[in-house]
PDB file of all heavy atoms in Angstrom:
ATOM      1  N   TYR V  15       7.463 -17.782  -0.143  1.00 97.00           N
ATOM      2  CA  TYR V  15       7.772 -16.496  -0.742  1.00 97.00           C
ATOM      3  C   TYR V  15       8.710 -16.700  -1.932  1.00 97.00           C
ATOM      4  O   TYR V  15       9.448 -17.695  -1.994  1.00 97.00           O
ATOM      5  CB  TYR V  15       8.444 -15.566   0.283  1.00 97.00           C
ATOM      6  CG  TYR V  15       7.546 -15.141   1.430  1.00 97.00           C
ATOM      7  CD1 TYR V  15       8.061 -15.009   2.717  1.00 97.00           C
ATOM      8  CD2 TYR V  15       6.209 -14.843   1.229  1.00 97.00           C
ATOM      9  CE1 TYR V  15       7.253 -14.596   3.786  1.00 97.00           C
ATOM     10  CE2 TYR V  15       5.395 -14.441   2.289  1.00 97.00           C
ATOM     11  CZ  TYR V  15       5.923 -14.310   3.557  1.00 97.00           C
ATOM     12  OH  TYR V  15       5.128 -13.910   4.598  1.00 97.00           O
ATOM     13  N   HIS V  69      16.188 -12.373   2.512  1.00 97.00           N
ATOM     14  CA  HIS V  69      16.377 -13.734   3.019  1.00 97.00           C
ATOM     15  C   HIS V  69      17.871 -13.981   3.254  1.00 97.00           C
ATOM     16  O   HIS V  69      18.667 -13.898   2.325  1.00 97.00           O
ATOM     17  CB  HIS V  69      15.840 -14.723   1.984  1.00 97.00           C
ATOM     18  CG  HIS V  69      15.992 -16.161   2.368  1.00 97.00           C
ATOM     19  ND1 HIS V  69      15.286 -16.726   3.414  1.00 97.00           N
ATOM     20  CD2 HIS V  69      16.766 -17.146   1.857  1.00 97.00           C
ATOM     21  CE1 HIS V  69      15.627 -17.997   3.519  1.00 97.00           C
ATOM     22  NE2 HIS V  69      16.514 -18.281   2.606  1.00 97.00           N
ATOM     23  N   ARG V  99      18.151 -17.820  11.986  1.00 96.00           N
ATOM     24  CA  ARG V  99      16.915 -17.739  12.760  1.00 96.00           C
ATOM     25  C   ARG V  99      15.939 -18.771  12.200  1.00 96.00           C
ATOM     26  O   ARG V  99      16.118 -19.230  11.069  1.00 96.00           O
ATOM     27  CB  ARG V  99      16.300 -16.335  12.634  1.00 96.00           C
ATOM     28  CG  ARG V  99      17.311 -15.199  12.740  1.00 96.00           C
ATOM     29  CD  ARG V  99      16.703 -13.821  12.539  1.00 96.00           C
ATOM     30  NE  ARG V  99      15.908 -13.386  13.676  1.00 96.00           N
ATOM     31  CZ  ARG V  99      16.416 -12.850  14.783  1.00 96.00           C
ATOM     32  NH1 ARG V  99      17.726 -12.650  14.897  1.00 96.00           N
ATOM     33  NH2 ARG V  99      15.626 -12.490  15.786  1.00 96.00           N
ATOM     34  N   ILE V 103      14.802 -13.943   8.121  1.00 97.00           N
ATOM     35  CA  ILE V 103      14.479 -12.709   7.418  1.00 97.00           C
ATOM     36  C   ILE V 103      15.366 -11.594   7.955  1.00 97.00           C
ATOM     37  O   ILE V 103      15.405 -11.354   9.158  1.00 97.00           O
ATOM     38  CB  ILE V 103      12.996 -12.313   7.607  1.00 97.00           C
ATOM     39  CG1 ILE V 103      12.077 -13.470   7.189  1.00 97.00           C
ATOM     40  CG2 ILE V 103      12.671 -11.051   6.818  1.00 97.00           C
ATOM     41  CD1 ILE V 103      10.604 -13.207   7.469  1.00 97.00           C
ATOM     42  N   LYS V 135       9.959  -1.386   1.735  1.00 94.00           N
ATOM     43  CA  LYS V 135       8.946  -0.500   2.313  1.00 94.00           C
ATOM     44  C   LYS V 135       9.554   0.879   2.506  1.00 94.00           C
ATOM     45  O   LYS V 135      10.750   0.990   2.785  1.00 94.00           O
ATOM     46  CB  LYS V 135       8.485  -1.025   3.684  1.00 94.00           C
ATOM     47  CG  LYS V 135       7.845  -2.406   3.666  1.00 94.00           C
ATOM     48  CD  LYS V 135       7.405  -2.820   5.070  1.00 94.00           C
ATOM     49  CE  LYS V 135       7.100  -4.301   5.189  1.00 94.00           C
ATOM     50  NZ  LYS V 135       5.906  -4.740   4.495  1.00 94.00           N
ATOM     51  N   ARG V 148      14.481   1.149  25.968  1.00 77.00           N
ATOM     52  CA  ARG V 148      15.479   0.371  26.716  1.00 77.00           C
ATOM     53  C   ARG V 148      15.974  -0.742  25.810  1.00 77.00           C
ATOM     54  O   ARG V 148      15.189  -1.320  25.048  1.00 77.00           O
ATOM     55  CB  ARG V 148      14.843  -0.283  27.949  1.00 77.00           C
ATOM     56  CG  ARG V 148      14.698   0.619  29.151  1.00 77.00           C
ATOM     57  CD  ARG V 148      14.087  -0.163  30.320  1.00 77.00           C
ATOM     58  NE  ARG V 148      12.783  -0.699  29.994  1.00 77.00           N
ATOM     59  CZ  ARG V 148      12.495  -1.989  29.898  1.00 77.00           C
ATOM     60  NH1 ARG V 148      13.433  -2.909  30.086  1.00 77.00           N
ATOM     61  NH2 ARG V 148      11.263  -2.385  29.605  1.00 77.00           N
TER      62      ARG V 148
ATOM     63  N   TYR P  33       8.873 -20.557   4.829  1.00 97.00           N
ATOM     64  CA  TYR P  33       8.931 -20.207   6.239  1.00 97.00           C
ATOM     65  C   TYR P  33       7.791 -20.889   6.980  1.00 97.00           C
ATOM     66  O   TYR P  33       6.761 -21.226   6.392  1.00 97.00           O
ATOM     67  CB  TYR P  33       8.806 -18.690   6.427  1.00 97.00           C
ATOM     68  CG  TYR P  33       9.976 -17.887   5.887  1.00 97.00           C
ATOM     69  CD1 TYR P  33       9.764 -16.657   5.275  1.00 97.00           C
ATOM     70  CD2 TYR P  33      11.287 -18.332   6.008  1.00 97.00           C
ATOM     71  CE1 TYR P  33      10.822 -15.898   4.790  1.00 97.00           C
ATOM     72  CE2 TYR P  33      12.350 -17.581   5.521  1.00 97.00           C
ATOM     73  CZ  TYR P  33      12.115 -16.371   4.922  1.00 97.00           C
ATOM     74  OH  TYR P  33      13.162 -15.630   4.442  1.00 97.00           O
ATOM     75  N   SER P  80      12.505  -2.464  25.635  1.00 89.00           N
ATOM     76  CA  SER P  80      11.183  -1.831  25.768  1.00 89.00           C
ATOM     77  C   SER P  80      10.371  -1.953  24.482  1.00 89.00           C
ATOM     78  O   SER P  80       9.149  -1.888  24.505  1.00 89.00           O
ATOM     79  CB  SER P  80      11.338  -0.359  26.126  1.00 89.00           C
ATOM     80  OG  SER P  80      12.061   0.333  25.123  1.00 89.00           O
ATOM     81  N   HIS P  87       3.141 -12.572   8.822  1.00 97.00           N
ATOM     82  CA  HIS P  87       2.584 -12.859   7.498  1.00 97.00           C
ATOM     83  C   HIS P  87       1.167 -12.295   7.409  1.00 97.00           C
ATOM     84  O   HIS P  87       0.298 -12.686   8.189  1.00 97.00           O
ATOM     85  CB  HIS P  87       2.570 -14.382   7.295  1.00 97.00           C
ATOM     86  CG  HIS P  87       2.000 -14.816   5.984  1.00 97.00           C
ATOM     87  ND1 HIS P  87       2.619 -14.552   4.783  1.00 97.00           N
ATOM     88  CD2 HIS P  87       0.855 -15.485   5.687  1.00 97.00           C
ATOM     89  CE1 HIS P  87       1.885 -15.056   3.797  1.00 97.00           C
ATOM     90  NE2 HIS P  87       0.814 -15.614   4.315  1.00 97.00           N
ATOM     91  N   ILE P 121       4.830  -9.609   3.880  1.00 97.00           N
ATOM     92  CA  ILE P 121       5.440  -9.592   5.212  1.00 97.00           C
ATOM     93  C   ILE P 121       5.106  -8.265   5.879  1.00 97.00           C
ATOM     94  O   ILE P 121       5.365  -7.199   5.322  1.00 97.00           O
ATOM     95  CB  ILE P 121       6.974  -9.754   5.131  1.00 97.00           C
ATOM     96  CG1 ILE P 121       7.340 -11.019   4.354  1.00 97.00           C
ATOM     97  CG2 ILE P 121       7.579  -9.784   6.537  1.00 97.00           C
ATOM     98  CD1 ILE P 121       8.840 -11.174   4.122  1.00 97.00           C
ATOM     99  N   LYS P 153      12.565  -9.333  16.625  1.00 95.00           N
ATOM    100  CA  LYS P 153      13.901  -8.766  16.764  1.00 95.00           C
ATOM    101  C   LYS P 153      13.852  -7.652  17.809  1.00 95.00           C
ATOM    102  O   LYS P 153      12.828  -6.970  17.926  1.00 95.00           O
ATOM    103  CB  LYS P 153      14.378  -8.153  15.434  1.00 95.00           C
ATOM    104  CG  LYS P 153      14.484  -9.146  14.274  1.00 95.00           C
ATOM    105  CD  LYS P 153      14.999  -8.449  13.009  1.00 95.00           C
ATOM    106  CE  LYS P 153      14.769  -9.281  11.763  1.00 95.00           C
ATOM    107  NZ  LYS P 153      15.623 -10.466  11.655  1.00 95.00           N
TER     108      LYS P 153
END
Side-chain angles (χ1 to χ4, degrees):
Chain V
Y15 293 143
H69 179 68
R99 317 177 73 81
I103 305 175
K135 299 181 195 290
R148 279 181 301 114
Chain P
Y33 293 143
S80 60
H87 179 67
I121 305 175
K153 299 182 195 289

